[in-house]
């Protein structure tokens, strides 16, 4: 389940980043010279990978996954809130560091955190179904996805 969570989190992030192509905040400030901005922007696609934060997304996917699985396996544990709190505090500190480094706008970080948290919660939740059918088909617009969930 963890490999699925990590793979889906990273894959979804790259899919969105490559469609949006939003410039990083450092391009709008004065911390880089014009030649540095041109060099990064023209030779390195990373300069156009601001939306949404992959670090935040992956950190929150991990935090949600750890919390969800632990809560499901040990619902009466006295440690579950400490574990979840530590996981989310770590994810939040990673997200904050990305903002302070000038790599992302707050909306990039917030969107990444929400996307990651949903993936980290959703993958273990989907494994509770007895029958799960997922179809992925390529299309002109991207990928067409279809899913059927049955609880029998």
């Amino acid at each position: 389940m963890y490999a699925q969570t990590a793979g889906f989190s990273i894959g979804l992030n790259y899919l969105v980043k490559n469609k949006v192509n939003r410039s990083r905040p450092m391009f709008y400030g004065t911390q880089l010279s014009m030649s540095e901005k041109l060099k990064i922007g023209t030779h390195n696609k990373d300069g156009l990978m601001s939306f949404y934060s992959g670090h935040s997304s992956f950190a929150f996917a991990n935090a949600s996954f750890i919390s969800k699985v632990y809560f499901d396996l040990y619902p009466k544990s006295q440690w579950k809130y400490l574990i979840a709190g530590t996981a989310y505090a770590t994810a939040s500190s990673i997200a904050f560091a990305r903002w302070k480094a000038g790599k992302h706008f707050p909306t990039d970080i917030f969107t990444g955190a929400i996307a990651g948290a949903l993936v980290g919660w959703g993958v273990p939740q989907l494994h509770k179904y007895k029958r799960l059918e997922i179809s992925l088909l390529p299309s002109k617009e991207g990928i067409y996805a279809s899913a059927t969930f049955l609880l029998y």
Side-chain angles (χ1 to χ4, degrees):
M1 282 191 302
Y2 179 75
Q4 292 170 338
T5 300
F8 191 70
S9 177
I10 293 167
L12 181 63
N13 181 254
Y14 279 118
L15 181 71
V16 172
K17 280 185 179 223
N18 285 308
K19 287 287 185 187
V20 174
N21 288 321
R22 182 180 188 182
S23 296
R24 293 192 182 272
M26 61 185 157
F27 286 99
Y28 299 101
T30 58
Q31 68 189 88
L32 297 177
S33 68
M34 184 56 76
S35 63
E36 289 173 315
K37 290 177 185 179
L38 290 172
K39 182 179 177 186
I40 293 171
T42 58
H43 295 15
N44 184 353
K45 189 166 168 116
D46 183 62
L48 296 173
M49 299 285 236
S50 185
F51 187 80
Y52 58 88
S53 172
H55 285 82
S56 298
S57 177
F58 193 65
F60 276 90
N62 283 304
S64 291
F65 178 83
I66 290 166
S67 300
K68 172 76 171 138
V69 171
Y70 194 84
F71 274 56
D72 287 349
L73 292 176
Y74 307 105
K76 295 182 180 181
S77 172
Q78 63 183 359
W79 299 100
K80 65 183 183 180
Y81 295 109
L82 178 64
I83 289 170
T86 302
Y88 283 109
T90 303
S92 297
S93 66
I94 290 168
F96 180 75
R98 297 300 288 171
W99 174 70
K100 285 299 283 179
K103 298 288 186 177
H104 295 286
F105 294 100
T107 52
D108 302 335
I109 292 167
F110 182 72
T111 304
I114 296 297
L118 288 173
V119 169
W121 174 86
V123 169
Q125 185 65 29
L126 289 175
H127 278 272
K128 290 183 173 185
Y129 291 98
K130 301 292 184 215
R131 183 171 165 216
L132 172 63
E133 297 174 6
I134 298 176
S135 301
L136 298 172
L137 300 169
S139 71
K140 288 190 326 187
E141 292 80 29
I143 296 175
Y144 173 76
S146 171
T148 303
F149 310 100
L150 300 172
L151 273 175
Y152 60 84

